[in-house]
Amino acid sequence: MENYVHMHECHGHKISIIINRTHAILHSIAILFLIHYRLSFFFQHPLNITIPTLPWLLIFVSELLLYLAWLLAQSHGWRPVYRTVFPERLPADDKLPAIDIFICTADPNKEPSVEVMNTVISAMALDYPPEKLHVYVSDDAGSDATLRCTKEAWNFARYWVPFCRKYGLVTACPDVYFSSSEDGFKGSSEFKAERKKM
């Protein structure tokens, strides 16, 4: 383990921690005062109560639920963490481990096959040694549509993946790439011709 090289460093930002924790504590104090105010209503003398009890109780319960949701959302801000990555420390391609990517689908009506195939093609176009990257599609429904789309996606990926690697496309998902402004039309005429062909 002495020769292990860290791929990233994790550190907290002290000013953000102080600000977030101060805000959370002040907010919690305000919530406790509000809860005390709501509860004090139920301990008043019945002759002093001018507001109907049921609406007050419903408001109190709904506020308690909102307080709980707020409390659960504070965990990420209690200690914000920032990471610095070092991609230059990655080992050579021949030392990288093989990885398997499983893409699961169950119903072609709820999960359109075209969207699933965009995910498959994006996974195939990852910047990883192709001989160490294995992509599997698991179709629980056994749909003929998914099977046909998988065959078409494989045929398209034979051209799309080399195109992505050749021009260093950041967006490897065909649907997102062709619907976004990442044209690359500033590139060479060869790129424009190949993009048009895609």
Side-chain angles (χ1 to χ4, degrees):
M1 287 302 277
E2 297 101 23
N3 296 331
Y4 179 74
V5 179
H6 293 281
M7 297 294 150
H8 67 89
E9 286 181 1
C10 178
H11 53 307
H13 194 262
K14 290 185 180 179
I15 294 174
S16 296
I17 291 173
I18 292 169
I19 291 171
N20 290 350
R21 288 183 182 182
T22 305
H23 172 264
I25 290 168
L26 292 175
H27 201 95
S28 298
I29 291 169
I31 287 172
L32 289 174
F33 276 116
L34 191 54
I35 289 173
H36 177 267
Y37 169 71
R38 293 285 186 210
L39 284 174
S40 66
F41 172 82
F42 298 108
F43 297 104
Q44 290 179 15
H45 192 275
L47 298 176
N48 295 338
I49 297 177
T50 57
I51 302 170
T53 305
L54 183 62
W56 192 270
L57 181 64
L58 292 175
I59 289 172
F60 179 57
V61 170
S62 64
E63 284 177 343
L64 282 177
L65 292 174
L66 288 173
Y67 302 153
L68 179 64
W70 175 83
L71 184 66
L72 293 175
Q74 296 311 302
S75 60
H76 72 278
W78 193 252
R79 185 177 183 272
V81 173
Y82 303 93
R83 286 184 169 82
T84 305
V85 295
F86 304 104
E88 65 275 1
R89 294 181 182 173
L90 284 171
D93 285 355
D94 59 335
K95 293 185 180 176
L96 289 172
I99 61 171
D100 296 325
I101 299 173
F102 290 90
I103 298 165
C104 302
T105 181
D107 186 355
N109 296 323
K110 293 180 182 175
E111 303 166 318
S113 297
V114 172
E115 299 299 325
V116 174
M117 293 312 121
N118 272 303
T119 305
V120 170
I121 293 170
S122 299
M124 292 171 72
L126 286 173
D127 184 17
Y128 207 80
E131 67 277 0
K132 295 189 175 191
L133 178 67
H134 308 282
V135 180
Y136 301 94
V137 179
S138 172
D139 181 17
D140 291 344
S143 167
D144 290 336
T146 304
L147 178 62
R148 286 195 302 272
C149 285
T150 303
K151 290 178 181 177
E152 289 298 320
W154 182 80
N155 286 329
F156 176 70
R158 289 171 45 206
Y159 303 102
W160 176 251
V161 172
F163 175 75
C164 289
R165 292 200 173 125
K166 182 177 180 181
Y167 294 107
L169 298 184
V170 176
T171 307
C173 176
D175 185 40
V176 175
Y177 175 75
F178 288 113
S179 63
S180 72
S181 60
E182 191 192 335
D183 279 346
F185 278 122
K186 305 164 197 156
S188 65
S189 57
E190 178 188 1
F191 172 79
K192 292 178 186 177
E194 285 197 42
R195 185 182 189 278
K196 190 172 181 181
K197 187 178 174 184
M198 285 294 132

